[in-house]
Amino acid sequence: MHDSYGQYKEGYYYQKDGTKVNGLLRLQYGGNGFKDKSNGDCYISFKETREHKRVKLTTKDICCFVIEKDSFAIIKNFTLNFAVHYPRDFAQVLQDGKIKLYLYYSVVSNTTSGGMMSSRTIKEWVIEKEGLVEKFRKKAFKKLMPVLIDDYPELKEKLATGELRFRDTPEIIKTYNDYFAVH
């Protein structure tokens, strides 16, 4: 079973050769712990129009897509948890620049005390800089963020004084990227 990112919405995707294709898209995510992860667990269902049949497109077929105002790209070589590593999968782009910040959608399933299966959607930050791709959690913030922004001393100082915290991650990355876009 796959959860999905809403209903079909206007958008487009890019084929590997750069060709843009417009239509209706829906992000599907979830997965199965035993399924091959080489193309990820996320894919899009695509329809040229509401009347057309849907087509499933994975990281093997396309490089990126946009659903309304949300952009999605392929992230490579990241580990979701102790048991799941992805060579590549789709994630929503929150910040682009020298440091990239993504939102990765997944589904966690477990059995309740009554024996019923339950699942919930998990959205996690994934951060990328210079080939390092890391799931970004509060536990890793104090250790990893100073290293990521080491080349921007003023921003690193705000981090050291506690002026900026984990919840400020999108703002920190935007400030960092804006700074390096002009320097």
Side-chain angles (χ1 to χ4, degrees), residues 145-175:
M145 187 57 82
V147 174
L148 291 169
I149 64 170
D150 192 48
D151 50 354
Y152 188 171
E154 295 86 352
L155 194 59
K156 191 175 175 183
E157 180 61 29
K158 286 183 179 183
L159 204 61
T161 62
E163 192 178 326
L164 294 171
R165 296 192 167 98
F166 177 74
R167 68 172 178 265
D168 303 313
T169 295
E171 177 191 328
I172 294 167
I173 293 172
K174 181 176 180 357
T175 302

Side-chain angles (χ1 to χ4, degrees), residues 54-104:
R54 75 176 186 92
V55 177
K56 176 181 174 179
L57 300 168
T58 70
T59 58
K60 183 178 69 181
D61 308 306
I62 64 175
C63 64
C64 51
F65 58 95
V66 174
I67 297 176
E68 291 185 328
K69 292 181 179 164
D70 296 333
S71 298
F72 295 80
I74 294 174
I75 53 177
K76 295 180 179 177
N77 292 322
F78 73 102
T79 300
L80 191 57
N81 59 44
F82 70 94
V84 182
H85 176 80
Y86 293 95
R88 62 186 182 193
D89 208 350
F90 290 120
Q92 184 177 349
V93 180
L94 299 180
Q95 294 286 333
D96 196 12
K98 196 168 174 181
I99 298 177
K100 295 173 179 15
L101 180 65
Y102 302 98
L103 192 60
Y104 183 74

Side-chain angles (χ1 to χ4, degrees), residues 11-15 18-25 46 48 57:
Y12 53 90
Y13 68 86
Y14 286 97
Q15 295 174 331
T19 306
K20 180 179 176 181
V21 180
N22 292 297
L24 300 168
L25 290 80
F46 173 79
E48 208 170 305
L57 300 168

Side-chain angles (χ1 to χ4, degrees), residues 113-173:
S113 56
M116 299 289 292
M117 280 297 288
S118 75
S119 63
R120 59 191 169 100
T121 295
I122 305 286
K123 298 177 194 173
E124 298 183 273
W125 282 337
V126 175
I127 205 158
E128 178 182 350
K129 183 180 182 189
E130 298 168 354
L132 168 76
V133 181
E134 188 92 25
K135 185 169 74 167
F136 199 63
R137 288 209 162 129
K138 193 171 187 174
K139 285 192 293 188
F141 178 80
K142 284 188 169 152
K143 190 175 90 183
L144 190 56
M145 187 57 82
V147 174
L148 291 169
I149 64 170
D150 192 48
D151 50 354
Y152 188 171
E154 295 86 352
L155 194 59
K156 191 175 175 183
E157 180 61 29
K158 286 183 179 183
L159 204 61
T161 62
E163 192 178 326
L164 294 171
R165 296 192 167 98
F166 177 74
R167 68 172 178 265
D168 303 313
T169 295
E171 177 191 328
I172 294 167
I173 293 172

